[in-house]
Amino acid sequence: HQDYMYGAGATWKLNSKTYLEADFYSDNLMSERDSFDTFRPGGTQLTKRTHYYNGTVKGIFRLGSWNKLSAGAEYVHETYESYNFSFRTMYTISLFAQDEMRLLKNLQGVLGIRYIYNRNFGSYATPSVALMYSPGRFRLRAGYSTGYRTPTLLQMYYENDETKNVTIGNQDLKPEKSNYYTIGAEYNNSWMSLKFSAFIND
């Protein structure tokens, strides 16, 4: 097995309240096994070769004292190759934005959305919203968000029958969708802090 990873990132501060970030990450794996083919004794056979690339660019913008906007884009590219599957590739492009707002003196809100386009599964949007009300020493929170996760190439195509455990990918897998609900309450004073939270993830 041979695996190597590399990445880099940079931050550009436009001013004390606004900055841009860029990050890149890559993971590369190759596995081989001894070949028992009588036509090439002593050689090796490719088990699997994967490449994963992730690039993100985002900006944080302070729009006055009551508003902070975050927005950006992400690109993910995967490749997969094995002894029993030809070269496979898949990419995902995401655009996202989130606005943190102070609606009233004691009321804050967060509104966000993420748009996803996947080469194999099409497009989907995942919105989210959260509120926090903080009267005096109390903080009350409530939130709702949606999730979307597409199968990876390994989950769809990977096969391994070299051990007593057999792994077989499923090419009929569909994206996973979720709904997340959460509520919470908090009380603080100079000598005590009490917190309560509950969530449902469907």
Side-chain angles (χ1 to χ4, degrees):
H1 306 288
Q2 296 180 353
D3 188 17
Y4 66 93
M5 297 170 285
Y6 58 90
T11 300
W12 181 23
K13 290 188 176 181
L14 303 177
N15 54 53
S16 60
K17 297 182 179 180
T18 303
Y19 60 92
L20 302 175
E21 286 185 349
D23 295 286
F24 178 79
Y25 168 79
S26 177
D27 190 353
N28 307 271
L29 171 68
M30 183 181 69
S31 295
E32 294 179 329
R33 62 184 178 186
D34 293 335
S35 174
F36 295 96
D37 191 331
T38 56
F39 296 100
R40 48 176 185 174
T44 59
Q45 182 183 46
L46 176 68
T47 302
K48 66 177 177 179
R49 180 185 290 115
T50 64
H51 297 282
Y52 175 85
Y53 308 96
N54 183 304
T56 304
V57 177
K58 67 178 181 180
I60 309 296
F61 309 95
R62 288 279 186 179
L63 307 177
S65 59
W66 293 68
N67 194 278
K68 183 174 76 171
L69 175 67
S70 307
E74 180 184 39
Y75 178 77
V76 176
H77 191 96
E78 300 176 71
T79 66
Y80 172 67
E81 183 181 2
S82 70
Y83 65 94
N84 58 345
F85 269 106
S86 59
F87 184 79
R88 307 280 176 165
T89 183
M90 181 171 66
Y91 67 84
T92 303
I93 300 173
S94 303
L95 304 175
F96 55 88
Q98 177 177 283
D99 195 9
E100 300 179 32
M101 303 162 283
R102 182 175 294 276
L103 305 173
L104 299 171
K105 180 180 178 180
N106 297 323
L107 181 63
Q108 293 176 264
V110 179
L111 184 65
I113 189 168
R114 185 180 185 92
Y115 170 79
I116 302 165
Y117 174 78
N118 181 276
R119 177 188 179 187
N120 293 8
F121 298 100
S123 58
Y124 197 79
T126 58
S128 63
V129 61
L131 292 172
M132 183 179 71
Y133 179 56
S134 52
R137 298 181 182 274
F138 290 91
R139 289 185 179 181
L140 307 176
R141 293 183 174 90
Y144 167 73
S145 61
T146 58
Y148 183 77
R149 186 174 69 90
T150 58
T152 66
L153 290 178
L154 287 177
Q155 291 171 337
M156 291 190 294
Y157 299 111
Y158 180 63
E159 292 188 7
N160 184 3
D161 57 1
E162 300 173 0
T163 65
K164 64 180 180 180
N165 298 317
V166 178
T167 302
I168 300 175
N170 184 354
Q171 299 181 47
D172 295 325
L173 287 175
K174 299 296 187 292
E176 178 184 281
K177 302 174 184 178
S178 64
N179 292 283
Y180 182 82
Y181 309 84
T182 180
I183 59 173
E186 180 180 339
Y187 173 78
N188 294 287
N189 60 30
S190 59
W191 58 277
M192 181 179 63
S193 177
L194 296 175
K195 297 180 181 180
F196 164 82
S197 63
F199 70 90
I200 298 176
N201 189 28
D202 177 19

